[in-house]
């Protein structure tokens, strides 16, 4: 935390560095970051708003999920949409994930470009652009697979793959409670699977059912009931598929919210959990199996670091993370759970506190836990990776919706 006293001390007394040296140092930080020169860089040196990963907590989250899946006998195909980082994906795979789940073609291309395999695209490709890129990916990386929930998309893929003389691994996406995607369970799903199976250049690789609503249901028993209900159709479809002799190589789905439900019910052979690497405040409040009030199975490892830029009113300060930084009133101030986060415009946010709370002063650093990882991550170019206060690495965030190739 940088205080008025610290700034003045370095300007007036210059205990460690003269003012001129400080100015030069800060002006050259970006060049140092691009060279990977992170000597003596601490959180207090960073430009804000900035995303900061607590490396110890992140590593323990990755290890915990991998160990849970190993012990439960379920595979882990970690979702990358929350982080969009090959550095993180490589660590997930190194810890035991059998592959990666992606929401967009750009994420798949990013991961494949970094040499990662076992990539599954969970938003079916529609439209020429995505069909051609998916087929190109399949040609280059034969372990890649995409979902489909419509025979028309299967036909588009088949035609394109035939023209390219390649095969696309294809997973049938079955409705599991979330109306945004998934073919109706039972006969319609079986018919689609047979259609895929008959398509010369498609290989039926398995089944998906993403019970996205169950993920955030408060209370573990209610969440389990919702998950079981939402996956009933998939369960039955898989039974019919086996009876019909259709391939059931994988049954994929699940989330951070249901990780210890899916591993118990055994409806899935692999888990697509993603948020566990960092966690966010919307997940924190759903309650865990052990503690019905707080879901603390995984630690809050990601913060948005901000600076107090104005403090002219009692019990309120203004920070430099605003709407453009995806600040939300459901965010939480690290170390100050009673404080409230308010929106104050595109480039401004605010923190308010009650009498008796220790408030923030001009120039202070404030760390905010984001409400939704996917949305917040999408605003930033990089993670600053910290051990304690020290910055030890920088991981680029790529494949974002702002990237030229979506
Ligand atoms: C298809 C799919 N699978 C899995 C997940 C689970 O991700 P998380 O663990 O971050 O909740 C998501 C999240 O939106 C998803 O869209």
């Amino acid at each position: 935390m940088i205080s008025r006293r610290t700034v003045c001390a370095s300007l007036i007394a210059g205990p460690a560095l003269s003012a001129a040296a400080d100015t030069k140092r800060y002006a050259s930080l970006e060049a140092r970051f691009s060279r990977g020169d992170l000597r003596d860089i601490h959180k207090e040196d960073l430009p804000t708003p900035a995303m900061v990963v607590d490396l110890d907590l992140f590593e323990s989250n990755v290890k915990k999920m991998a160990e849970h899946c190993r012990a439960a006998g379920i595979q882990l195909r970690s979702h990358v949409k929350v982080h969009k980082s090959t550095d993180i994906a490589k660590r997930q795979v190194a810890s035991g994930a059998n592959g990666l789940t992606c929401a967009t073609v750009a994420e798949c291309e990013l991961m494949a470009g970094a040499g990662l395999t076992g990539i599954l695209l969970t938003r079916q490709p529609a439209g020429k652009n995505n069909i051609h890129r998916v087929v190109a990916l399949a040609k280059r990386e034969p372990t890649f697979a995409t979902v489909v929930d419509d025979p028309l998309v299967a036909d588009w893929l088949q035609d394109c793959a035939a023209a390219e003389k390649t095969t696309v691994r294809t997973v049938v996406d079955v409705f599991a409670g979330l109306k945004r995607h998934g073919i109706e369970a039972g006969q319609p799903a079986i018919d689609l699977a047979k259609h895929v199976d008959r398509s010369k250049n498609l290989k039926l690789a398995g089944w998906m059912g993403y019970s996205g609503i169950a993920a955030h249901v408060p209370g573990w028993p209610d969440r389990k009931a919702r998950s079981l209900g939402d996956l009933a159709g998939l369960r039955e479809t898989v039974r019919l598929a086996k009876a019909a002799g259709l391939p059931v190589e994988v049954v994929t789905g699940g989330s951070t919210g249901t990780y210890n439900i899916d591993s118990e019910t055994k409806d899935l052979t692999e888990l697509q959990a993603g948020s566990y690497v960092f966690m966010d405040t919307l997940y924190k409040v759903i309650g865990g199996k052990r503690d019905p009030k707080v879901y603390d199975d995984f630690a809050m490892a990601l913060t948005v670091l901000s600076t107090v830029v104005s403090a002219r009113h009692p019990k309120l300060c203004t920070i430099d993370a605003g709407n453009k930084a995806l600040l939300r009133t459901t965010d939480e101030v690290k170390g100050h759970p009673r404080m409230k986060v308010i929106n104050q415009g595109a480039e401004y946010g605010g923190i308010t506190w009650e009498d008796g709370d220790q408030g923030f002063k001009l120039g202070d650093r404030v760390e905010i836990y984001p409400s939704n990882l996917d949305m917040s991550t999408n605003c930033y170019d990089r993670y600053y990776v910290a051990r304690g206060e020290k910055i030890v690495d920088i991981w680029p965030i790529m494949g974002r919706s702002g990237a030229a190739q979506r």
Side-chain angles (χ1 to χ4, degrees):
M1 201 180 279
I2 187 165
S3 66
R4 184 165 145 240
R5 209 158 42 81
T6 322
V7 174
C8 291
S10 97
L11 289 176
I12 300 162
L17 294 163
S18 71
D22 271 351
T23 305
K24 205 168 153 200
R25 177 172 187 264
Y26 283 101
S28 65
L29 274 191
E30 191 53 37
R32 285 187 54 190
F33 293 160
S34 53
R35 290 200 302 273
D37 174 6
L38 298 174
R39 279 170 302 154
D40 301 323
I41 307 281
H42 295 84
K43 282 193 211 173
E44 69 168 16
D45 297 316
L46 299 180
T48 56
M51 278 208 146
V52 177
V53 175
D54 182 316
L55 190 54
D56 292 333
L57 298 180
F58 162 81
E59 285 175 345
S60 105
N61 288 346
V62 170
K63 188 163 171 256
K64 189 169 179 189
M65 182 62 92
E67 281 174 357
H68 169 85
C69 290
R70 246 191 308 275
I74 191 168
Q75 303 268 32
L76 177 62
R77 200 181 297 271
S78 307
H79 213 310
V80 308
K81 73 186 184 28
V82 295
H83 57 69
K84 293 176 182 280
S85 152
T86 54
D87 294 280
I88 294 176
K90 283 177 184 167
R91 282 164 174 80
Q92 290 176 306
V93 170
S95 78
N98 66 315
L100 300 160
T101 305
C102 296
T104 67
V105 183
E107 288 172 0
C108 296
E109 291 168 338
L110 173 69
M111 298 299 147
L116 293 157
T117 57
I119 297 162
L120 172 68
L121 174 63
T122 58
R123 191 179 70 191
Q124 72 174 349
K128 278 200 259 186
N129 177 295
N130 275 206
I131 292 281
H132 282 283
R133 283 162 67 197
V134 156
V135 170
L137 254 175
K139 195 166 181 175
R140 173 169 141 214
E141 177 40 60
T143 63
F144 166 80
T146 181
V147 301
V148 295
D149 75 2
D150 200 298
L152 191 54
V153 174
D155 289 344
W156 291 336
L157 281 171
Q158 163 58 32
D159 290 350
C160 187
E164 284 296 327
K165 299 186 176 44
T166 193
T167 302
V168 181
R169 288 169 56 78
T170 307
V171 170
V172 172
D173 177 11
V174 181
F175 174 71
L178 199 59
K179 287 189 180 157
R180 72 184 185 193
H181 57 85
I183 191 165
E184 194 187 339
Q187 205 51 49
I190 295 290
D191 290 345
L192 175 58
K194 286 182 175 164
H195 187 76
V196 168
D197 204 35
R198 279 194 302 270
S199 303
K200 206 159 157 271
N201 296 79
L202 304 184
K203 178 174 175 2
L204 180 62
W207 305 80
M208 178 171 104
Y210 172 54
S211 52
I213 295 178
H216 283 85
V217 168
W220 196 83
D222 287 349
R223 194 151 67 247
K224 183 174 178 183
R226 175 81 204 215
S227 179
L228 274 171
D230 282 352
L231 289 179
L234 177 71
R235 201 177 308 128
E236 173 60 8
T237 306
V238 168
R239 193 190 65 74
L240 291 172
K242 283 180 180 161
L246 288 165
V248 185
E249 207 182 293
V250 293
V251 185
T252 184
S255 64
T256 299
T258 62
Y259 84 105
N260 55 357
I261 294 168
D262 300 312
S263 54
E264 223 178 79
T265 56
K266 310 279 183 210
D267 284 332
L268 306 174
T269 62
E270 61 174 42
L271 204 60
Q272 298 177 352
S275 296
Y276 70 95
V277 292
F278 293 149
M279 297 303 286
D280 54 33
T281 63
L282 295 183
Y283 253 135
K284 190 180 157 194
V285 295
I286 66 171
K289 188 175 181 182
R290 213 182 28 214
D291 181 345
K293 288 207 186 72
V294 187
Y295 183 54
D296 58 1
D297 298 33
F298 302 96
M300 305 283 278
L302 183 81
T303 53
V304 173
L305 180 71
S306 65
T307 303
V308 176
V309 291
S310 184
R312 309 296 315 176
H313 302 276
K315 292 183 274 184
L316 162 73
C317 71
T318 299
I319 56 172
D320 58 2
N323 295 340
K324 284 193 195 172
L326 259 300
L327 192 80
R328 291 192 191 179
T329 53
T330 43
D331 293 355
E332 201 178 297
V333 182
K334 181 176 170 182
H336 301 273
R338 276 154 42 103
M339 289 188 179
K340 297 225 166 352
V341 173
I342 57 169
N343 294 100
Q344 302 211 98
E347 304 286 1
Y348 298 96
I351 310 291
T352 64
W353 55 88
E354 300 293 327
D355 278 333
D357 283 339
Q358 178 80 43
F360 290 107
K361 301 182 299 302
L362 189 63
D364 278 353
R365 289 290 166 114
V366 183
E367 285 188 72
I368 313 272
Y369 293 124
S371 301
N372 180 283
L373 295 171
D374 311 33
M375 309 287 280
S376 292
T377 289
N378 209 34
C379 299
Y380 293 87
D381 292 322
R382 66 183 71 149
Y383 299 109
Y384 293 99
V385 183
R387 282 237 196 252
E389 291 299 306
K390 189 165 172 13
I391 304 302
V392 294
D393 212 345
I394 293 178
W395 297 336
I397 301 172
M398 295 150 87
R400 300 181 301 132
S401 63
Q405 185 74 293
R406 292 168 197 223

